[in-house]
Amino acid sequence: MGRKVHPIGFRLVVNKDWRARWFAEGREYREQLQQDFQIREAVYQEAGRAGVSRIDIERYPGKLKVSIHTAKPGVLIGRKGEGIKKIRLALESLTGKKVDLDIKEIKAPDCDAYLIAHNIADQLERRISYRRAMKRAIQQAMRQGAQGIKIEVAGRLGGAEMARNAWLREGRVPLQTLRADIDFARAEATTTYGQIGVKVWVYRGEMKPEAEEKAEPTEGVYVSE
């Protein structure tokens, strides 16, 4: 129950859902799993700077439904829907099946762990100070409604000869509370000194708050109707 437990996998069924929803056995399972990786990679390549955070895949007989969560739906859709058509054609040629695309807008992109992690990684690649990037991301997340956030970076920070870890946290991040809505993501920054890993935990509040205890009537008091 330590740091090795994935915050999202730990909460599956409780308050998180699978990113891919389908069933298969044997060789078919292996092929469809590899196809899921290819679908996500193709969408990320076509989306570019559209701020795509999550891709959900559902399989039906002869058809796929791909839900794309993005911070910039207008950029993803493109002029007159050209962006969506391009993505749909690429996925249909990849899978050989009909593909339905569902575009969902992320209301609070500064509270999305995936977008935060990749934003920090991009800043590290542009040689921005890791402390400055972390503090700015924390301030934006707390301003947009997050109840807690923790960011950790690891590697040759600032070009140091020896790799080390550094982390910052603000608010509460209860990783062992199952009802806590924790968003988690990882990213890597490729710098001239080597790879720098970025981890982000965002606490958005409780999904299933405990029911309030009903006040019991005071003893010895009778109220007539």
Side-chain angles (χ1 to χ4, degrees):
M1 299 293 290
R3 292 174 294 175
K4 302 178 186 66
V5 177
H6 197 286
I8 295 177
F10 185 46
R11 290 167 176 80
L12 280 176
V13 180
V14 179
N15 58 19
K16 298 289 183 183
D17 200 2
W18 283 268
R19 302 288 172 89
R21 292 179 286 277
W22 46 266
F23 177 80
E25 292 181 328
R27 182 177 179 181
E28 186 181 2
Y29 171 83
R30 183 172 66 251
E31 292 174 352
Q32 292 187 7
L33 182 62
Q34 292 294 329
Q35 195 176 84
D36 281 1
F37 288 122
Q38 295 172 3
I39 289 172
R40 290 191 172 94
E41 185 178 354
V43 172
Y44 281 124
Q45 287 180 354
E46 295 290 343
R49 295 284 180 176
V52 175
S53 168
R54 172 177 167 179
I55 300 170
D56 295 340
I57 301 172
E58 296 182 57
R59 293 180 182 272
Y60 302 96
K63 187 177 72 171
L64 273 80
K65 181 180 178 182
V66 180
S67 300
I68 304 175
H69 298 253
T70 173
K72 301 175 183 177
V75 176
L76 182 65
I77 295 171
R79 186 175 297 176
K80 297 182 180 179
E82 292 178 358
I84 288 296
K85 292 179 183 177
K86 190 176 180 181
I87 293 174
R88 183 183 289 111
L89 290 174
L91 296 183
E92 287 179 350
S93 63
L94 176 66
T95 61
K97 297 180 180 179
K98 183 182 177 183
V99 176
D100 290 342
L101 291 180
D102 184 16
I103 309 301
K104 297 183 179 180
E105 182 181 4
I106 299 172
K107 300 296 183 182
D110 289 333
C111 293
D112 190 283
Y114 182 90
L115 297 179
I116 294 171
H118 281 264
N119 183 32
I120 293 174
D122 289 341
Q123 293 184 58
L124 293 176
E125 290 178 353
R126 288 186 272 120
R127 299 191 177 185
I128 294 175
S129 169
Y130 69 94
R131 284 195 176 276
R132 180 181 175 186
M134 292 164 69
K135 287 181 179 179
R136 186 176 179 184
I138 288 174
Q139 291 173 358
Q140 291 176 341
M142 296 300 289
R143 195 181 302 122
Q144 206 165 60
Q147 296 192 20
I149 179 172
K150 177 182 175 182
I151 302 176
E152 181 179 353
V153 293
R156 295 182 60 186
L157 303 176
E161 292 186 5
M162 185 173 291
R164 60 191 177 90
N165 289 15
W167 60 273
L168 291 175
R169 182 179 62 195
E170 187 169 341
R172 293 178 59 236
V173 186
L175 297 180
Q176 300 303 317
T177 306
L178 275 173
R179 62 178 178 272
D181 183 10
I182 302 288
D183 193 15
F184 173 74
R186 288 178 287 198
E188 289 184 356
T190 305
T191 67
T192 55
Y193 303 106
Q195 295 284 102
I196 295 180
V198 182
K199 290 182 179 180
V200 177
W201 297 260
V202 178
Y203 174 48
R204 300 173 179 171
E206 292 188 1
M207 294 287 287
K208 297 180 180 179
E210 294 180 357
E212 297 182 0
E213 296 182 2
K214 295 182 180 179
E216 297 181 359
T218 308
E219 294 183 1
V221 177
Y222 175 73
V223 180
S224 61
E225 296 180 358

